[in-house]
């Protein structure tokens, strides 16, 4: 059964632009949730609300099979001031869909309509509209609230648009595809004073600079060369005047890894180096080390399924296995820890100079809407094929 997407394009595009105009930050997507629910209820889905506060799960049953599938779309936005100049630009100042979650949700809602109309499957479909992917681990919260107990899924799938990948190409890989992410705030506790009398102070800026340089040796000298990992010091704050040595200096770190043992090793070395460097300067440090999302690990059978489906759907020239995982992170990792599944990327590149994700001029490429929408329908109908 061929999908005549032209019959649906106007509505999917309108949905995408509406969501873009009214973005909401994670765990506060109340209007977004209402908008999604209204569409799903009109299509005849069983709709459940309340997981992770604003999460929505829509269920559609057809035939007699008990086999089930879960497809996830995230719908939170970012605290970024939009600079796209689009006619449908954000009406909520300082908040924008700078990661394409508006497009993800629009495509899954489009697929929801087609699935409901065609009923060309045998089993149970759970469409998971997830809040708070960006910062608060909405996937984990939904699971803690009983997602898979209430809505059993034999497998789960999710995609992310990527403006660095050529338009319409599917990128995937078995095993690790995205990294675990942790954050650490290191505060150096010094003794402030006049910049003209440094001998009477304990300068936390000098100590902090030494810590930053020493941290660079962890990846190059402590972690095995074939274990990908990253330590980035993204912020270093201290002082406010040229002639005043401050009391404290603060560093903010982002740490990425894949192997749980390497993850532990990174934390241990960061603590040891920060404390040791500070002690050598006669100072102390405090560390606030926060474990973030786990690594996103795809399952073999489901990844093989997506690869085969994508080749049939788009052609072999549009599908490739990534040479290496990305160092970004994704809370779909938690769903993949509990259920088999696959997370993959769909290329949306317009030009090689497209603004990247999380950029104030980024805007989801609407031309991919029929591709993503149709693919979700094809995936569901093949996974829950009518015998």
């Amino acid at each position: 059964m061929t999908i005549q997407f032209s019959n649906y394009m106007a509505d999917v595009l309108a949905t995408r632009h509406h969501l873009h105009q009214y973005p909401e930050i994670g765990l506060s997507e109340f209007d977004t949730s209402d908008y999604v629910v209204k569409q799903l209820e009109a299509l005849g889905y069983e709709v459940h609300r309340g997981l992770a506060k604003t999460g929505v799960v829509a269920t559609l049953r057809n035939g007699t099979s008990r086999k089930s599938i879960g497809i996830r779309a995230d719908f939170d936005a970012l605290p970024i001031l939009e600079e796209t100049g689009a006619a449908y630009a954000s009406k909520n100042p300082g908040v924008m869909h700078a990661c394409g979650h508006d497009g993800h949700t629009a495509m899954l809602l489009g697929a929801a309509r087609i699935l409901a109309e065609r009923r060309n499957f045998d089993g149970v479909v759970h469409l998971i509209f997830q809040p708070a992917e960006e910062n608060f681990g909405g996937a984990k919260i939904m699971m803690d609230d009983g997602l898979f107990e209430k809505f059993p899924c034999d497998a789960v799938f999710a995609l992310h648009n990527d403006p660095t990948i050529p338009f319409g190409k599917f990128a995937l890989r078995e095993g690790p595809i995205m990294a675990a992410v942790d954050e650490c705030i290191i505060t150096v506790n010094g003794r402030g004073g006049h910049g003209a009398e440094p001998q009477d102070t304990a300068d936390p800026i000098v100590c902090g600079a030494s810590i930053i340089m020493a941290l660079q040796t962890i990846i190059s000298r402590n972690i095995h060369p074939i274990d990908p990992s990253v330590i980035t010091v993204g912020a270093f704050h201290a002082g406010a005047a040229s002639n005043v040595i401050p009391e404290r200096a603060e560093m903010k770190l982002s740490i990425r890894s894949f192997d749980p043992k390497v993850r532990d090793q990174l934390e241990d070395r960061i603590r040891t180096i920060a404390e040791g460097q500070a002690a050598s300067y006669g100072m102390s440090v405090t560390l606030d080390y926060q474990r973030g999302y786990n690594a996103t690990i795809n399952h073999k059978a489901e990844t093989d399924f997506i690869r085969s489906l994508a080749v049939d759907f788009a052609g072999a020239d549009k599908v490739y296995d990534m040479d290496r995982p990305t160092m970004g992170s994704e809370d779909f990792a938690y769903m993949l820890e509990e259920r088999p599944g696959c997370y993959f990327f769909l290329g949306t590149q317009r030009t090689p100079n497209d603004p990247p994700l999380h950029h104030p001029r980024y805007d989801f490429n609407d031309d991919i809407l029929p591709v993503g929408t149709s693919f979700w329908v094809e995936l569901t109908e093949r996974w829950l094929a009518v015998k």
Side-chain angles (χ1 to χ4, degrees), residues 47-81:
V47 179
H48 181 96
R49 309 184 69 171
L51 299 184
K53 293 178 67 174
T54 54
V56 177
V57 180
T59 300
L60 188 66
R61 307 173 195 275
N62 197 60
T64 59
S65 173
R66 304 177 94 180
K67 190 175 183 180
S68 60
I69 187 175
I71 304 175
R72 179 272 233 168
D74 36 18
F75 60 35
D76 58 319
L78 286 156
I80 295 176
L81 182 64

Side-chain angles (χ1 to χ4, degrees), residues 124-267:
V124 184
V125 180
H126 298 300
L127 304 182
I128 303 166
F129 294 88
Q130 181 208 304
E133 185 278 329
E134 294 291 355
N135 298 308
F136 305 107
K140 181 67 163 57
I141 300 172
M142 289 188 81
M143 290 168 60
D144 290 343
D145 287 346
L147 174 63
F148 291 134
E149 290 76 24
K150 296 174 181 177
F151 309 98
C153 297
D154 294 323
V156 290
F157 299 93
L159 68 75
H160 205 293
N161 80 98
D162 192 328
T164 69
I165 295 175
F167 181 88
K169 285 202 171 186
F170 291 78
L172 70 165
R173 74 189 311 272
E174 177 189 340
I177 190 168
M178 299 191 79
V181 58
D182 303 321
E183 294 186 349
C184 179
I185 299 175
I186 302 174
T187 303
V188 181
N189 305 303
R191 186 173 68 255
H194 201 294
E197 302 289 343
Q199 73 281 359
D200 294 329
T201 72
D203 191 340
I205 294 178
V206 174
C207 178
S210 180
I211 291 172
I212 291 171
M213 294 307 296
L215 289 174
Q216 310 309 307
T217 66
I218 297 175
I219 303 300
S220 65
R221 289 297 176 268
N222 299 137
I223 305 300
H224 196 287
I226 67 171
D227 288 326
S229 49
V230 171
I231 297 175
T232 294
V233 181
F236 185 19
H237 301 293
S242 64
N243 63 342
V244 178
I245 293 173
E247 286 282 319
R248 283 172 293 277
E250 182 183 88
M251 290 153 275
K252 295 183 177 181
L253 285 62
S254 177
I255 305 102
R256 313 272 170 158
S257 60
F258 293 94
D259 188 303
K261 293 181 180 179
V262 171
R263 194 179 193 183
D264 292 340
Q265 187 180 6
L266 289 167
E267 179 176 355

Side-chain angles (χ1 to χ4, degrees), residues 25 78-82 90 92-96 98 358-361:
I25 297 297
L78 286 156
I80 295 176
L81 182 64
E82 181 164 352
S90 171
N92 297 335
V95 183
M96 75 169 288
H358 291 214
H359 191 284
R361 290 196 300 277

